[in-house]
Amino acid sequence: TMRVGEIARLKLAFEYGADDPKFPVKKLRVPEGQKSDGPPWDSELTFELELVAFDAPRPGFEKEGWEMTFEERLASASVLRQRGNELFKLGDLPAASEHYS
């Protein structure tokens, strides 16, 4: 678990992040004895991740579905359905549909 403002460092072997275009990698120094035209596969990538904000769960979503017992899922579905019905009656179809899915 993380708190807002907390920073986590994730270390990966170079081979797992070097070829992904979403993670541009600065040119790294080639270790002695390795060809200069190839990546330094024995290097390590370090990513720093900071949690800047999070969304609180909506009512009825305090737990993930897989964490709930069968009875908790039934109760949650009932609450969500009732709220969806209220929103539907008010004409807020996009919000209502979120409670039905």
Side-chain angles (χ1 to χ4, degrees), residues 5-100:
E6 188 174 351
I7 296 174
R9 287 184 185 82
L10 175 66
K11 292 187 177 190
L12 294 175
F14 186 82
E15 63 189 284
Y16 294 115
D19 293 331
D20 193 330
K22 293 179 286 195
F23 299 110
V25 179
K26 295 178 186 174
K27 186 165 179 78
L28 301 174
R29 183 181 61 80
V30 177
E32 188 175 331
Q34 187 171 349
K35 294 181 181 180
S36 61
D37 59 348
W41 295 107
D42 60 344
S43 296
E44 200 173 62
L45 299 173
T46 302
F47 296 92
E48 288 191 0
L49 309 170
E50 180 180 0
L51 180 60
V52 294
F54 68 94
D55 293 331
R58 295 180 290 171
F61 285 99
E62 288 82 18
K63 290 183 180 179
E64 294 290 333
W66 59 268
E67 296 176 303
M68 293 183 189
T69 64
F70 179 74
E71 292 77 17
E72 289 173 324
R73 284 192 298 248
L74 282 178
S76 177
S78 179
V79 169
L80 290 172
R81 181 184 53 79
Q82 289 171 0
R83 181 64 183 141
N85 289 347
E86 292 169 7
L87 291 167
F88 180 81
K89 289 175 186 176
L90 293 172
D92 191 350
L93 301 181
S97 69
E98 287 185 22
H99 287 76
Y100 295 132

